[in-house]
Amino acid sequence: MIRVILIVILSISVLSCNRFNPDDYKLIIQNVQLFNGDSLYQSATILVQDSAIKKIILRPTSLSGSNVIDGTGKTLLPGLINAHVHAQAVEHLKEAAETGVLTLLDLFTTDPKRADSLRNLGFHRADLAYYYSAGPTVTVPGAHGSQFGPVPLVDSVEEVPQFVEDRVNEGSDYIKLIIESGPDSEWPTLTDEMIRLAIKQSHELNKLAVAHISKRKDALKAVEYDIDGLVHIWSRDTTYITQQQIDLLKNRNAFIVPTLLVTDSVKARWEESLDIDVLMHDVLAIHEAGIPILAGTDPPNFGLNYGTSLFDEMELLVNAGLSELEVLKSATSNVAKSFQLDHGYIKEGVSADMVLIDGNPIADIKHIRKVYKVFKFGDEIIPVNKP
């Protein structure tokens, strides 16, 4: 008797799924390979109502209408996230959005008011990427970051707690520290006590703390002091990371944004001595240890852009040994989890921010460049140079 009841309930459920009216939805993408940020599904149908994903059906469908897109042979991804940029204008948010990069994490700005304006625009305009900002960085006079002034700087240990609180009051979404001693030990940088206090104050104010580094020893110091993430990888080291160092990074639950593309650009232009092979080895080693890898590119440095340069970074991560699926996570759910964001997923109830690829980037990451359509709030973003 119970079995009969279950069959009846299942039948009613299936019938109810077939009875919905496609005209009730703003957008339907059917029979598409779906990467939802975490998992892969071979034939899915996504129904968008108003600006959100109303329903996901994980089976083939046969719907018709002007609002229906056939996803056969295509792959649907969440809007991509660039975890390291320096955006300064609306045009940067637009450039990103048109390529499917629908969220930008700014890691330094000299103007908190401009950042607040970009943040507001990004959350309200369908043609712009979402925008988050660290505001001015925690750094000392004469150190890296101070050359972009005028910016507030830390002169003493006693100033650190108030400095961090000021950044939070200005609207910073997270706090960034500069731990950069340069090629020798004479360059000024934050003292150990300043680092500890900045991280502690950030956490007390419920903000993540991330650190710019270029040496492994600085990275290890930062994680010992409870940093949440490293927004570069060590580019100055010529030896492979040790198991002990990997264990320290893993035990402290720090994430890493390697920015391999920037290091590759530095090597090409200025410093041929940089060992990219060491970095590629270390990226794979820390990934295999379960340490989250996040994709970020650091534009506009070295002429990198806010859109397709992220595809270059993703290809480098595949070249380092990560699978295509894991690299897609590095530009979606890994960032969302690490920075505690609401973006980077395709699931019922979230904003319909999606990228439709005319190909299969799970099989070949180069297909990520075959952007067919981009949607934010369920509205298609039409590039200015595309009819």
Side-chain angles (χ1 to χ4, degrees):
M1 182 66 180
I2 294 176
R3 184 180 178 186
V4 172
I5 293 173
L6 288 175
I7 292 173
V8 171
I9 292 174
L10 179 60
S11 299
I12 293 172
S13 176
V14 170
L15 286 172
S16 64
C17 286
N18 289 330
R19 284 178 178 174
F20 66 79
N21 184 355
D23 292 336
D24 291 340
Y25 295 89
K26 179 179 187 177
L27 170 69
I28 298 174
I29 302 175
Q30 70 176 351
N31 304 327
V32 70
Q33 177 174 254
L34 170 65
F35 171 68
N36 70 355
D38 283 323
S39 304
L40 185 67
Y41 302 92
Q42 290 305 317
S43 186
T45 295
I46 292 80
L47 294 87
V48 175
Q49 196 171 64
D50 299 324
S51 62
I53 297 170
K54 180 67 175 179
K55 189 173 184 62
I56 298 176
I57 303 171
L58 299 179
R59 60 177 173 77
T61 58
S62 181
L63 307 172
S64 60
S66 59
N67 59 338
V68 178
I69 295 175
D70 181 16
T72 303
K74 297 177 174 59
T75 304
L76 190 65
L77 311 174
L80 301 176
I81 308 173
N82 191 327
H84 192 142
V85 307
H86 302 285
Q88 302 171 2
V90 171
E91 289 73 23
H92 298 156
L93 276 59
K94 191 171 186 62
E95 177 183 65
E98 289 179 354
T99 64
V101 181
L102 293 181
T103 304
L104 299 177
L105 304 190
D106 194 299
L107 269 298
F108 170 74
T109 181
T110 60
D111 189 345
K113 290 184 178 180
R114 179 179 61 202
D116 189 57
S117 175
L118 292 176
R119 185 186 297 107
N120 183 63
L121 289 170
F123 271 82
H124 289 90
R125 280 180 49 175
D127 61 331
L128 302 179
Y130 297 105
Y131 173 90
Y132 297 84
S133 176
T137 58
V138 185
T139 193
V140 298
H144 181 63
S146 65
Q147 72 268 38
F148 303 111
V151 290
L153 301 168
V154 173
D155 287 302
S156 66
V157 171
E158 292 75 20
E159 293 179 1
V160 171
Q162 187 61 52
F163 184 98
V164 173
E165 185 173 346
D166 288 345
R167 305 291 74 77
V168 174
N169 290 338
E170 288 171 348
S172 292
D173 298 293
Y174 35 82
I175 302 299
K176 179 185 176 183
L177 290 67
I178 301 290
I179 308 175
E180 177 65 87
S181 55
D184 53 50
S185 60
E186 296 179 1
W187 287 10
T189 193
L190 296 169
T191 67
D192 289 3
E193 187 60 24
M194 286 177 174
I195 296 169
R196 288 192 188 95
L197 275 176
I199 296 171
K200 180 175 182 290
Q201 182 72 348
S202 299
H203 291 166
E204 288 182 355
L205 296 174
N206 297 314
K207 297 295 181 181
L208 296 178
V210 301
H212 163 110
I213 55 92
S214 65
K215 293 181 178 180
R216 194 183 297 136
K217 67 180 182 67
D218 291 333
L220 296 171
K221 177 192 296 185
V223 298
E224 282 187 18
Y225 298 160
D226 210 20
I227 202 75
D228 295 293
L230 305 169
V231 292
H232 285 297
I233 198 169
W234 37 91
S235 58
R236 306 285 179 180
D237 291 79
T238 57
T239 59
Y240 292 153
I241 192 169
T242 67
Q243 187 59 50
Q244 182 180 10
Q245 292 168 338
I246 291 174
D247 291 342
L248 175 60
L249 291 170
K250 184 175 182 178
N251 292 339
R252 294 289 181 161
N253 298 314
F255 60 81
I256 299 179
V257 188
T259 62
L260 291 173
L261 186 59
V262 166
T263 303
D264 202 35
S265 300
V266 171
K267 178 179 174 64
R269 291 195 184 189
W270 294 336
E271 300 185 40
E272 295 182 1
S273 61
L274 289 178
D275 196 332
I276 301 299
D277 291 337
V278 168
L279 299 185
M280 301 287 258
H281 168 277
D282 285 6
V283 165
L284 180 59
I286 60 181
H287 164 70
E288 290 179 338
I291 297 165
I293 299 292
L294 282 55
T297 57
D298 202 13
N301 289 312
F302 299 98
L304 303 181
N305 65 52
Y306 296 87
T308 58
S309 288
L310 185 63
F311 304 159
D312 297 328
E313 181 76 14
M314 296 169 75
E315 288 184 16
L316 284 173
L317 290 172
V318 168
N319 292 341
L322 279 68
S323 71
E324 273 84 355
L325 187 65
E326 291 302 327
V327 169
L328 288 176
K329 290 180 181 180
S330 80
T332 54
S333 60
N334 283 6
V335 190
K337 292 171 184 176
S338 297
F339 278 88
Q340 302 167 19
L341 306 176
D342 293 328
H343 318 295
Y345 297 99
I346 293 177
K347 57 185 180 181
E348 293 177 359
V350 306
S351 180
D353 308 325
M354 307 175 293
V355 188
L356 187 58
I357 303 295
D358 190 11
N360 186 2
I362 306 296
D364 184 351
I365 197 61
K366 289 184 173 61
H367 287 198
I368 196 71
R369 301 178 184 277
K370 298 182 178 182
V371 176
Y372 181 68
K373 290 181 183 291
V374 178
F375 303 92
K376 186 182 176 191
F377 308 149
D379 295 324
E380 183 178 355
I381 299 175
I382 306 296
V384 294
N385 58 350
K386 181 179 179 178

mmCIF file of all heavy atoms in Angstrom, residues 100-133:
data_model
loop_
_atom_site.group_PDB
_atom_site.id
_atom_site.type_symbol
_atom_site.label_atom_id
_atom_site.label_comp_id
_atom_site.label_asym_id
_atom_site.label_seq_id
_atom_site.Cartn_x
_atom_site.Cartn_y
_atom_site.Cartn_z
ATOM 1 N N GLY A 100 31.532 37.585 -19.437
ATOM 2 C CA GLY A 100 31.062 36.573 -18.500
ATOM 3 C C GLY A 100 31.709 36.633 -17.134
ATOM 4 O O GLY A 100 31.404 35.817 -16.265
ATOM 5 N N VAL A 101 32.613 37.595 -16.930
ATOM 6 C CA VAL A 101 33.216 37.802 -15.606
ATOM 7 C C VAL A 101 32.284 38.754 -14.863
ATOM 8 O O VAL A 101 32.347 39.968 -15.035
ATOM 9 C CB VAL A 101 34.641 38.372 -15.715
ATOM 10 C CG1 VAL A 101 35.254 38.549 -14.323
ATOM 11 C CG2 VAL A 101 35.518 37.463 -16.563
ATOM 12 N N LEU A 102 31.411 38.202 -14.025
ATOM 13 C CA LEU A 102 30.316 38.982 -13.460
ATOM 14 C C LEU A 102 30.572 39.463 -12.040
ATOM 15 O O LEU A 102 29.703 40.125 -11.453
ATOM 16 C CB LEU A 102 29.018 38.174 -13.527
ATOM 17 C CG LEU A 102 28.494 37.920 -14.946
ATOM 18 C CD1 LEU A 102 27.200 37.138 -14.899
ATOM 19 C CD2 LEU A 102 28.291 39.231 -15.704
ATOM 20 N N THR A 103 31.750 39.149 -11.480
ATOM 21 C CA THR A 103 32.110 39.668 -10.166
ATOM 22 C C THR A 103 33.592 40.002 -10.140
ATOM 23 O O THR A 103 34.422 39.198 -10.578
ATOM 24 C CB THR A 103 31.801 38.656 -9.045
ATOM 25 O OG1 THR A 103 30.430 38.286 -9.102
ATOM 26 C CG2 THR A 103 32.107 39.240 -7.675
ATOM 27 N N LEU A 104 33.917 41.199 -9.643
ATOM 28 C CA LEU A 104 35.298 41.647 -9.512
ATOM 29 C C LEU A 104 35.603 41.922 -8.047
ATOM 30 O O LEU A 104 34.846 42.624 -7.372
ATOM 31 C CB LEU A 104 35.531 42.930 -10.321
ATOM 32 C CG LEU A 104 35.306 42.857 -11.830
ATOM 33 C CD1 LEU A 104 35.504 44.239 -12.458
ATOM 34 C CD2 LEU A 104 36.242 41.841 -12.472
ATOM 35 N N LEU A 105 36.723 41.395 -7.573
ATOM 36 C CA LEU A 105 37.193 41.685 -6.223
ATOM 37 C C LEU A 105 38.389 42.615 -6.326
ATOM 38 O O LEU A 105 39.475 42.210 -6.753
ATOM 39 C CB LEU A 105 37.586 40.394 -5.495
ATOM 40 C CG LEU A 105 36.512 39.307 -5.396
ATOM 41 C CD1 LEU A 105 36.973 38.201 -4.452
ATOM 42 C CD2 LEU A 105 35.180 39.871 -4.943
ATOM 43 N N ASP A 106 38.177 43.880 -5.963
ATOM 44 C CA ASP A 106 39.229 44.882 -6.035
ATOM 45 C C ASP A 106 40.113 44.749 -4.786
ATOM 46 O O ASP A 106 39.612 44.698 -3.665
ATOM 47 C CB ASP A 106 38.609 46.280 -6.106
ATOM 48 C CG ASP A 106 39.614 47.335 -6.532
ATOM 49 O OD1 ASP A 106 40.622 47.516 -5.816
ATOM 50 O OD2 ASP A 106 39.384 47.973 -7.563
ATOM 51 N N LEU A 107 41.426 44.713 -4.996
ATOM 52 C CA LEU A 107 42.348 44.494 -3.883
ATOM 53 C C LEU A 107 43.127 45.739 -3.494
ATOM 54 O O LEU A 107 44.048 45.647 -2.677
ATOM 55 C CB LEU A 107 43.315 43.353 -4.223
ATOM 56 C CG LEU A 107 42.885 41.946 -3.808
ATOM 57 C CD1 LEU A 107 42.734 41.835 -2.308
ATOM 58 C CD2 LEU A 107 41.611 41.492 -4.495
ATOM 59 N N PHE A 108 42.771 46.886 -4.043
ATOM 60 C CA PHE A 108 43.375 48.153 -3.601
ATOM 61 C C PHE A 108 42.772 49.294 -4.399
ATOM 62 O O PHE A 108 42.657 49.229 -5.613
ATOM 63 C CB PHE A 108 44.892 48.150 -3.799
ATOM 64 C CG PHE A 108 45.531 49.500 -3.586
ATOM 65 C CD1 PHE A 108 45.674 50.016 -2.304
ATOM 66 C CD2 PHE A 108 45.967 50.272 -4.656
ATOM 67 C CE1 PHE A 108 46.253 51.266 -2.098
ATOM 68 C CE2 PHE A 108 46.540 51.509 -4.459
ATOM 69 C CZ PHE A 108 46.691 52.013 -3.181
ATOM 70 N N THR A 109 42.369 50.327 -3.696
ATOM 71 C CA THR A 109 41.941 51.552 -4.353
ATOM 72 C C THR A 109 42.377 52.736 -3.503
ATOM 73 O O THR A 109 42.471 52.621 -2.276
ATOM 74 C CB THR A 109 40.417 51.600 -4.561
ATOM 75 O OG1 THR A 109 40.059 52.815 -5.228
ATOM 76 C CG2 THR A 109 39.675 51.539 -3.238
ATOM 77 N N THR A 110 42.662 53.843 -4.150
ATOM 78 C CA THR A 110 43.032 55.059 -3.423
ATOM 79 C C THR A 110 41.811 55.888 -3.044
ATOM 80 O O THR A 110 41.925 56.837 -2.283
ATOM 81 C CB THR A 110 43.958 55.934 -4.285
ATOM 82 O OG1 THR A 110 43.268 56.294 -5.492
ATOM 83 C CG2 THR A 110 45.236 55.192 -4.642
ATOM 84 N N ASP A 111 40.648 55.521 -3.575
ATOM 85 C CA ASP A 111 39.463 56.367 -3.428
ATOM 86 C C ASP A 111 38.264 55.544 -2.948
ATOM 87 O O ASP A 111 37.525 54.966 -3.755
ATOM 88 C CB ASP A 111 39.146 57.031 -4.769
ATOM 89 C CG ASP A 111 38.057 58.087 -4.660
ATOM 90 O OD1 ASP A 111 37.354 58.108 -3.639
ATOM 91 O OD2 ASP A 111 37.904 58.871 -5.614
ATOM 92 N N PRO A 112 38.024 55.465 -1.641
ATOM 93 C CA PRO A 112 36.886 54.701 -1.120
ATOM 94 C C PRO A 112 35.536 55.186 -1.637
ATOM 95 O O PRO A 112 34.612 54.372 -1.806
ATOM 96 C CB PRO A 112 37.002 54.886 0.392
ATOM 97 C CG PRO A 112 38.441 55.210 0.636
ATOM 98 C CD PRO A 112 38.871 56.007 -0.562
ATOM 99 N N LYS A 113 35.374 56.475 -1.903
ATOM 100 C CA LYS A 113 34.101 56.983 -2.421
ATOM 101 C C LYS A 113 33.844 56.448 -3.829
ATOM 102 O O LYS A 113 32.711 56.105 -4.167
ATOM 103 C CB LYS A 113 34.104 58.513 -2.413
ATOM 104 C CG LYS A 113 34.056 59.117 -1.013
ATOM 105 C CD LYS A 113 33.973 60.633 -1.069
ATOM 106 C CE LYS A 113 33.887 61.227 0.334
ATOM 107 N NZ LYS A 113 33.815 62.714 0.311
ATOM 108 N N ARG A 114 34.884 56.403 -4.635
ATOM 109 C CA ARG A 114 34.728 55.823 -5.971
ATOM 110 C C ARG A 114 34.378 54.344 -5.866
ATOM 111 O O ARG A 114 33.522 53.834 -6.601
ATOM 112 C CB ARG A 114 36.016 55.998 -6.769
ATOM 113 C CG ARG A 114 35.963 55.390 -8.181
ATOM 114 C CD ARG A 114 37.264 55.623 -8.918
ATOM 115 N NE ARG A 114 38.378 54.993 -8.236
ATOM 116 C CZ ARG A 114 39.656 55.355 -8.380
ATOM 117 N NH1 ARG A 114 39.968 56.358 -9.174
ATOM 118 N NH2 ARG A 114 40.609 54.717 -7.733
ATOM 119 N N ALA A 115 35.018 53.647 -4.935
ATOM 120 C CA ALA A 115 34.720 52.232 -4.730
ATOM 121 C C ALA A 115 33.264 52.040 -4.325
ATOM 122 O O ALA A 115 32.589 51.123 -4.803
ATOM 123 C CB ALA A 115 35.658 51.649 -3.668
ATOM 124 N N ASP A 116 32.769 52.896 -3.462
ATOM 125 C CA ASP A 116 31.378 52.798 -3.021
ATOM 126 C C ASP A 116 30.427 53.014 -4.188
ATOM 127 O O ASP A 116 29.400 52.330 -4.307
ATOM 128 C CB ASP A 116 31.117 53.822 -1.919
ATOM 129 C CG ASP A 116 29.752 53.631 -1.266
ATOM 130 O OD1 ASP A 116 29.491 52.533 -0.750
ATOM 131 O OD2 ASP A 116 28.954 54.578 -1.297
ATOM 132 N N SER A 117 30.773 53.943 -5.078
ATOM 133 C CA SER A 117 29.942 54.198 -6.255
ATOM 134 C C SER A 117 29.933 52.990 -7.188
ATOM 135 O O SER A 117 28.874 52.576 -7.676
ATOM 136 C CB SER A 117 30.460 55.434 -7.002
ATOM 137 O OG SER A 117 29.745 55.629 -8.208
ATOM 138 N N LEU A 118 31.109 52.405 -7.437
ATOM 139 C CA LEU A 118 31.184 51.238 -8.311
ATOM 140 C C LEU A 118 30.438 50.051 -7.703
ATOM 141 O O LEU A 118 29.766 49.293 -8.412
ATOM 142 C CB LEU A 118 32.648 50.867 -8.567
ATOM 143 C CG LEU A 118 33.460 51.856 -9.403
ATOM 144 C CD1 LEU A 118 34.914 51.416 -9.495
ATOM 145 C CD2 LEU A 118 32.869 52.005 -10.799
ATOM 146 N N ARG A 119 30.552 49.891 -6.410
ATOM 147 C CA ARG A 119 29.843 48.801 -5.733
ATOM 148 C C ARG A 119 28.335 48.953 -5.929
ATOM 149 O O ARG A 119 27.629 47.983 -6.258
ATOM 150 C CB ARG A 119 30.194 48.806 -4.246
ATOM 151 C CG ARG A 119 29.598 47.645 -3.463
ATOM 152 C CD ARG A 119 29.871 47.787 -1.970
ATOM 153 N NE ARG A 119 31.274 47.743 -1.635
ATOM 154 C CZ ARG A 119 32.005 48.791 -1.255
ATOM 155 N NH1 ARG A 119 31.440 50.002 -1.176
ATOM 156 N NH2 ARG A 119 33.275 48.671 -0.953
ATOM 157 N N ASN A 120 27.837 50.148 -5.735
ATOM 158 C CA ASN A 120 26.408 50.406 -5.877
ATOM 159 C C ASN A 120 25.931 50.167 -7.308
ATOM 160 O O ASN A 120 24.891 49.536 -7.535
ATOM 161 C CB ASN A 120 26.098 51.835 -5.450
ATOM 162 C CG ASN A 120 24.613 52.157 -5.493
ATOM 163 O OD1 ASN A 120 23.818 51.560 -4.778
ATOM 164 N ND2 ASN A 120 24.242 53.101 -6.342
ATOM 165 N N LEU A 121 26.703 50.643 -8.279
ATOM 166 C CA LEU A 121 26.338 50.451 -9.676
ATOM 167 C C LEU A 121 26.345 48.970 -10.049
ATOM 168 O O LEU A 121 25.452 48.478 -10.742
ATOM 169 C CB LEU A 121 27.299 51.224 -10.578
ATOM 170 C CG LEU A 121 27.168 52.751 -10.557
ATOM 171 C CD1 LEU A 121 28.328 53.391 -11.308
ATOM 172 C CD2 LEU A 121 25.841 53.188 -11.166
ATOM 173 N N GLY A 122 27.367 48.262 -9.593
ATOM 174 C CA GLY A 122 27.480 46.849 -9.923
ATOM 175 C C GLY A 122 26.337 46.011 -9.395
ATOM 176 O O GLY A 122 25.942 45.012 -10.010
ATOM 177 N N PHE A 123 25.785 46.412 -8.268
ATOM 178 C CA PHE A 123 24.690 45.647 -7.690
ATOM 179 C C PHE A 123 23.331 46.027 -8.261
ATOM 180 O O PHE A 123 22.337 45.342 -7.973
ATOM 181 C CB PHE A 123 24.691 45.802 -6.164
ATOM 182 C CG PHE A 123 25.531 44.780 -5.467
ATOM 183 C CD1 PHE A 123 26.901 44.959 -5.358
ATOM 184 C CD2 PHE A 123 24.962 43.633 -4.951
ATOM 185 C CE1 PHE A 123 27.692 44.006 -4.727
ATOM 186 C CE2 PHE A 123 25.745 42.672 -4.317
ATOM 187 C CZ PHE A 123 27.118 42.860 -4.204
ATOM 188 N N HIS A 124 23.278 47.069 -9.062
ATOM 189 C CA HIS A 124 21.976 47.517 -9.570
ATOM 190 C C HIS A 124 21.864 47.509 -11.094
ATOM 191 O O HIS A 124 20.746 47.495 -11.615
ATOM 192 C CB HIS A 124 21.668 48.926 -9.044
ATOM 193 C CG HIS A 124 21.347 48.953 -7.581
ATOM 194 N ND1 HIS A 124 22.312 49.128 -6.624
ATOM 195 C CD2 HIS A 124 20.177 48.798 -6.920
ATOM 196 C CE1 HIS A 124 21.741 49.097 -5.426
ATOM 197 N NE2 HIS A 124 20.462 48.899 -5.583
ATOM 198 N N ARG A 125 22.976 47.507 -11.793
ATOM 199 C CA ARG A 125 22.912 47.525 -13.252
ATOM 200 C C ARG A 125 23.189 46.147 -13.832
ATOM 201 O O ARG A 125 24.170 45.483 -13.461
ATOM 202 C CB ARG A 125 23.893 48.551 -13.814
ATOM 203 C CG ARG A 125 23.354 49.967 -13.745
ATOM 204 C CD ARG A 125 24.296 50.997 -14.294
ATOM 205 N NE ARG A 125 24.851 50.697 -15.608
ATOM 206 C CZ ARG A 125 25.630 51.530 -16.296
ATOM 207 N NH1 ARG A 125 25.940 52.720 -15.767
ATOM 208 N NH2 ARG A 125 26.098 51.204 -17.471
ATOM 209 N N ALA A 126 22.346 45.734 -14.773
ATOM 210 C CA ALA A 126 22.469 44.406 -15.364
ATOM 211 C C ALA A 126 23.631 44.293 -16.330
ATOM 212 O O ALA A 126 24.042 43.182 -16.675
ATOM 213 C CB ALA A 126 21.168 44.032 -16.072
ATOM 214 N N ASP A 127 24.175 45.415 -16.770
ATOM 215 C CA ASP A 127 25.265 45.365 -17.744
ATOM 216 C C ASP A 127 26.647 45.484 -17.106
ATOM 217 O O ASP A 127 27.656 45.538 -17.809
ATOM 218 C CB ASP A 127 25.096 46.474 -18.782
ATOM 219 C CG ASP A 127 25.133 47.875 -18.175
ATOM 220 O OD1 ASP A 127 24.751 48.027 -16.989
ATOM 221 O OD2 ASP A 127 25.557 48.812 -18.869
ATOM 222 N N LEU A 128 26.704 45.521 -15.772
ATOM 223 C CA LEU A 128 27.981 45.694 -15.072
ATOM 224 C C LEU A 128 28.246 44.524 -14.131
ATOM 225 O O LEU A 128 27.322 43.922 -13.588
ATOM 226 C CB LEU A 128 27.981 46.991 -14.260
ATOM 227 C CG LEU A 128 27.730 48.295 -15.009
ATOM 228 C CD1 LEU A 128 27.749 49.465 -14.019
ATOM 229 C CD2 LEU A 128 28.749 48.510 -16.113
ATOM 230 N N ALA A 129 29.540 44.240 -13.918
ATOM 231 C CA ALA A 129 29.920 43.212 -12.959
ATOM 232 C C ALA A 129 29.694 43.705 -11.531
ATOM 233 O O ALA A 129 29.798 44.901 -11.251
ATOM 234 C CB ALA A 129 31.393 42.841 -13.153
ATOM 235 N N TYR A 130 29.392 42.788 -10.635
ATOM 236 C CA TYR A 130 29.376 43.112 -9.213
ATOM 237 C C TYR A 130 30.794 43.526 -8.811
ATOM 238 O O TYR A 130 31.784 43.048 -9.375
ATOM 239 C CB TYR A 130 28.974 41.900 -8.378
ATOM 240 C CG TYR A 130 27.591 41.377 -8.637
ATOM 241 C CD1 TYR A 130 27.397 40.198 -9.361
ATOM 242 C CD2 TYR A 130 26.470 42.018 -8.140
ATOM 243 C CE1 TYR A 130 26.128 39.688 -9.583
ATOM 244 C CE2 TYR A 130 25.187 41.518 -8.359
ATOM 245 C CZ TYR A 130 25.033 40.354 -9.087
ATOM 246 O OH TYR A 130 23.770 39.856 -9.314
ATOM 247 N N TYR A 131 30.867 44.388 -7.807
ATOM 248 C CA TYR A 131 32.172 44.930 -7.416
ATOM 249 C C TYR A 131 32.298 44.939 -5.893
ATOM 250 O O TYR A 131 31.381 45.378 -5.191
ATOM 251 C CB TYR A 131 32.320 46.351 -7.966
ATOM 252 C CG TYR A 131 33.539 47.121 -7.504
ATOM 253 C CD1 TYR A 131 34.732 47.054 -8.204
ATOM 254 C CD2 TYR A 131 33.478 47.933 -6.369
ATOM 255 C CE1 TYR A 131 35.845 47.774 -7.789
ATOM 256 C CE2 TYR A 131 34.587 48.653 -5.948
ATOM 257 C CZ TYR A 131 35.769 48.567 -6.660
ATOM 258 O OH TYR A 131 36.867 49.278 -6.243
ATOM 259 N N TYR A 132 33.434 44.447 -5.407
ATOM 260 C CA TYR A 132 33.783 44.497 -3.992
ATOM 261 C C TYR A 132 35.170 45.124 -3.876
ATOM 262 O O TYR A 132 35.962 45.060 -4.807
ATOM 263 C CB TYR A 132 33.802 43.104 -3.381
ATOM 264 C CG TYR A 132 32.471 42.390 -3.380
ATOM 265 C CD1 TYR A 132 32.031 41.692 -4.508
ATOM 266 C CD2 TYR A 132 31.654 42.393 -2.254
ATOM 267 C CE1 TYR A 132 30.810 41.038 -4.514
ATOM 268 C CE2 TYR A 132 30.429 41.735 -2.249
ATOM 269 C CZ TYR A 132 30.018 41.056 -3.380
ATOM 270 O OH TYR A 132 28.801 40.402 -3.385
ATOM 271 N N SER A 133 35.472 45.714 -2.725
ATOM 272 C CA SER A 133 36.743 46.425 -2.605
ATOM 273 C C SER A 133 37.357 46.291 -1.217
ATOM 274 O O SER A 133 36.654 46.261 -0.201
ATOM 275 C CB SER A 133 36.542 47.906 -2.922
ATOM 276 O OG SER A 133 37.744 48.629 -2.728
#
